[in-house]
Every structure is written in C-alpha cells, then in structure tokens.
C-alpha cells in the first residue's frame, strides 16, 4: 500500500551538468546543476532565478553544457557549495556556500574556449555542448509570490564528443553502453548500472529523431 508523504524535494535522478557561462568581466564561471532535460537539440535548464549562472545566462545568452562521466565525481564535488556571487546571497550563506572566482582551478578542471560561443568547455568532460539561449520561462510561479526559479530553454549549436564513447564505426552515435554519466538523485551522486533488457523504443533508428536544421546559429 502506498502512503501519502511530503518530501522536501522531488529530485528523483537526472544527469549532472557543469554549466559554464561568462562573467561580466569576461572570466569563466562553472556551476554544477542537474535539473535538465533534452528534446532533440534543445535543452531545458532549471536554475535559481537570482543565481550567478542565471544572471550570466540572461545577460550573455550563451553557455556550454559540460557533462561529466561518473569518474569525475570528486572534481564535481569540489564545486558544490561554491558560488560566483559576491556578495553571497543570505540563503546561500546559511547553507554554507563560499564565493569562488576561479572554479576551474579549485575543481582541478581545464578550460578551453568554445568554438561558436564565448563560455569555456571543460576538457575532462566527454560531452561538451555549446548552446545559445532561446527562451526564458518563469518556473514554479504561485500567486502573490515572487518567481524564484527560471527554466532556460537553450539550443545546442555544436556538440563535442570524446570518440571513446561513440559506437564502433558510427561517428554520429553515442553508445549508451560506453557513456557512463554522473547522475544526481536526492542530492547524492550515482552512476549507471548495466543495460537491463531489450528496448522496444530503441528499435526505431536514432536518425528518425534528427532535427532538420539544428547545428548552426543564424550566420554562424
Ligand atoms: C550536483 C549538483 C546539482 C545541482 N543542481 C542544481 C540545479 O539543477 N539548479 C540549480 O539552480 N542549482 C543546482 N545546484 C546548486 C548550484 O550549483 C548552486 O546554486 C551554485 O551556487 C551555482 O553556482 P553560481 O552561484 O556560481 O551560479 C546543484 C549543485 C550540485 C553540486
């Protein structure tokens, strides 16, 4: 018998992303986040509305979604409870956050420039997705309450993939058997187990989902 309960959070499990954005002075910010989902080459990113990354994204309209593999968990953990905001907002002070300007150095990660966008890619991440902002949606709004979260709809304009996670002989296909993403569930880190069974959905060729024109930003 199920029972009715009220968990504080409903973070059932999603991949971790290291989201890189540009600060106002042109330096790089790097934020771990995991409220994200994809449809085709678009992705929805859920972020605190007043956070440093959200403000960077609203202003610069570009980011890179760097997806760490499970083996990078210690690097990701070093970024937890760090913020690019200075001063630190009171609710983050209460949660033990500290300001950090150079998050790449603290995490022991290497920045390289994006090819089509200004924010940095994380060399160690096997998946690096350069993206531009398409739309911003208020999220979780309630009457008489200020909006505290935003859903950022971004479009991927270039995907960099480590060949070691590609299917043998098929350069445009990531192998889910080789790709070992880092996942977050209820604020704890996990990896993936083995494939469970034959997938009926996977009988549809992946190319059936390819968007017609997704790669290029207008004029890029
Ligand atoms: C693994 C992980 C996942 C997180 N997921 C999110 C998320 O989905 N959305 C969000 O707003 N914050 C998330 N956070 C908290 C942010 O990292 C935190 O707000 C941080 O201050 C963001 O950096 P910034 O302040 O420099 O923007 C997550 C933190 C960790 C460690």
């Amino acid at each position: 018998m199920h029972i009715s309960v009220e968990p504080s959070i409903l973070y059932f499990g999603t991949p971790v992303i290291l989201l890189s954005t540009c600060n106002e002075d042109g330096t790089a910010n790097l934020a771990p986040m995991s409220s994200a989902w994809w449809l085709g080459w678009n992705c929805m990113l859920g972020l605190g509305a007043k956070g440093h990354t959200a403000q960077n994204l609203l202003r610069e309209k570009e980011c890179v979604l760097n997806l760490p593999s499970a083996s990078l968990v210690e690097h990701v953990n070093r970024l937890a409870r760090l913020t690019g905001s200075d001063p630190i907002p009171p609710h983050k002070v209460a949660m033990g956050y500290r300001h950090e300007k150079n998050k790449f150095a603290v995490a022991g990660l290497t920045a390289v420039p994006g090819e089509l966008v200004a924010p940095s890619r994380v060399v160690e991440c096997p998946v690096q997705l350069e993206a531009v902002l398409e739309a911003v949606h208020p999220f979780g709004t309630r009457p008489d309450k200020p909006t505290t979260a935003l859903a950022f709809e971004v479009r991927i304009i270039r995907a960099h993939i480590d060949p070691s996670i590609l299917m043998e002989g098929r350069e445009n296909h990531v192998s889910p058997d080789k790709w070992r993403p880092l996942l977050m569930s209820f604020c704890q880190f996990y990896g993936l187990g083995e494939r469970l069974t034959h997938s009926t959905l996977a009988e549809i060729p992946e190319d059936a989902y390819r968007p017609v024109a997704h790669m290029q930003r207008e004029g890029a």
Side-chain angles (χ1 to χ4, degrees):
M1 240 338 214
H2 295 65
I3 59 168
S4 172
V5 297
E6 295 187 357
S8 303
I9 53 174
L10 296 170
Y11 300 168
F12 287 102
T14 40
V16 173
I17 295 174
L18 298 181
L19 195 61
S20 74
T21 52
C22 282
N23 297 317
E24 223 165 352
D25 63 4
T27 58
N29 191 46
L30 190 63
M33 60 89 61
S34 57
S35 303
W37 50 269
W38 284 261
L39 261 184
W41 276 54
N42 278 42
C43 181
M44 196 69 95
L45 302 165
L47 292 169
K50 293 207 172 128
H52 197 70
T53 297
Q55 294 304 310
N56 281 354
L57 201 43
L58 286 168
R59 188 184 61 252
E60 308 290 335
K61 301 183 171 32
E62 293 181 337
C63 60
V64 179
L65 287 63
N66 300 279
L67 275 65
S69 53
S71 61
L72 290 172
V73 64
E74 293 307 331
H75 298 264
V76 174
N77 215 6
R78 284 183 224 159
L79 290 168
R81 298 205 292 180
L82 297 183
T83 177
S85 294
D86 184 16
I88 308 169
H91 73 281
K92 284 195 173 166
V93 172
M95 289 176 165
Y97 275 78
R98 69 174 177 83
H99 169 67
E100 177 55 57
K101 179 83 176 156
N102 195 345
K103 296 201 204 166
F104 273 92
V106 168
L109 295 169
T110 318
V112 286
E115 287 180 358
L116 300 179
V117 300
S120 302
R121 298 185 280 137
V122 178
V123 170
E124 290 80 1
C125 289
V127 178
Q128 305 152 3
L129 306 173
E130 300 188 28
V132 291
L133 184 62
E134 295 263 280
V136 183
H137 311 270
F139 190 83
T141 53
R142 306 225 190 100
D144 311 324
K145 292 260 167 73
T147 299
T148 57
L150 295 172
F152 291 88
E153 192 178 335
V154 299
R155 181 165 52 91
I156 312 302
I157 56 170
R158 179 145 299 171
H160 306 264
I161 308 287
D162 185 326
S164 68
I165 64 164
L166 293 178
M167 287 179 185
E168 204 72 34
R170 301 187 70 191
E171 65 175 21
N172 285 315
H173 295 263
V174 173
S175 164
D177 292 319
K178 294 180 178 174
W179 168 227
R180 301 286 92 186
L182 177 63
L183 308 174
M184 170 147 279
S185 176
F186 290 93
C187 294
Q188 298 289 348
F189 292 112
Y190 291 89
L192 280 181
E194 294 304 306
R195 192 197 288 201
L196 294 178
T197 188
H198 169 81
S199 165
T200 305
L201 189 69
E203 289 170 6
I204 303 167
E206 206 179 289
D207 286 335
Y209 301 104
R210 181 173 292 282
V212 181
H214 56 254
M215 308 271 261
Q216 294 296 313
R217 191 206 307 229
E218 271 69 48

